């Protein structure tokens, strides 16, 4: 048990210091900044102009497709980074598995591009 604590004690100390520092900054920002609320501060802000429509209005499906593409390629990068770090130690199966993964993502991206999901009218 002593060995485990000695290895992870630095992480625990880091978490405690970061919690204390963030709490201190939060408390100081509350006391230092002025707390006067005016009409401009409490008004609704939406992309630089006043809201003009119902909040339940439907969005174009392209917004969702671009968001899904962003998530897909963001996850792709999160898989590629650790894979690239251990690439020299991987057998051929590990290499070709990632190649198939990238190929599937590339086919999906080409399909989205072909269907016009990335074009704005």
């Amino acid at each position: 048990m002593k060995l485990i604590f000695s290895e992870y004690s630095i992480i625990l100390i880091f978490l405690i210091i970061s919690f204390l520092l963030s709490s201190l900054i939060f408390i100081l920002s509350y006391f230092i900044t002025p707390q006067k609320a005016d009409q401009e501060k409490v008004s609704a802000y939406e992309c630089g102009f006043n809201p003009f429509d119902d909040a339940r209005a439907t969005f174009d499906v392209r917004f969702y497709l671009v968001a899904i593409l962003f998530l897909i390629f963001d996850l792709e990068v999160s898989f590629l980074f650790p894979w690239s770090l251990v690439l020299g130690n991987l057998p051929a199966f590990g290499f070709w598995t990632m190649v198939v993964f990238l190929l599937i993502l590339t086919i999906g991206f080409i399909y989205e591009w072909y269907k016009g999901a990335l074009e704005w009218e």
Side-chain angles (χ1 to χ4, degrees):
M1 186 66 171
K2 186 177 180 181
L3 178 65
I4 293 175
F5 182 72
S6 66
E7 290 179 0
Y8 291 106
S9 62
I10 295 174
I11 297 173
L12 180 64
I13 292 169
F14 174 76
L15 288 174
I16 291 170
I17 290 173
S18 63
F19 176 75
L20 291 175
L21 185 62
S22 62
S23 299
L24 177 72
I25 291 172
F26 179 73
I27 292 169
L28 283 177
S29 69
Y30 181 76
F31 287 117
I32 292 174
T33 59
Q35 302 294 327
K36 298 175 186 173
D38 58 353
Q39 183 63 26
E40 198 65 32
K41 280 187 179 179
V42 296
S43 66
Y45 180 77
E46 190 173 320
C47 301
F49 54 87
N50 291 328
F52 56 86
D53 220 0
D54 186 21
R56 293 178 187 88
T58 58
F59 286 100
D60 192 6
V61 72
R62 289 184 183 96
F63 288 112
Y64 298 112
L65 290 176
V66 169
I68 289 171
L69 283 175
F70 172 76
L71 287 174
I72 287 172
F73 289 106
D74 189 39
L75 288 174
E76 174 188 359
V77 170
S78 68
F79 285 130
L80 278 176
F81 183 70
W83 175 75
S84 66
L85 292 177
V86 296
L87 184 59
N89 301 332
L90 284 178
F93 179 73
F95 174 77
W96 289 109
T97 303
M98 187 55 77
V99 168
V100 169
F101 174 71
L102 292 174
L103 185 66
I104 291 171
L105 285 178
T106 304
I107 290 170
F109 179 69
I110 291 171
Y111 176 76
E112 293 286 332
W113 196 346
Y114 176 74
K115 287 294 186 178
L118 301 175
E119 296 176 9
W120 298 95
E121 297 172 356

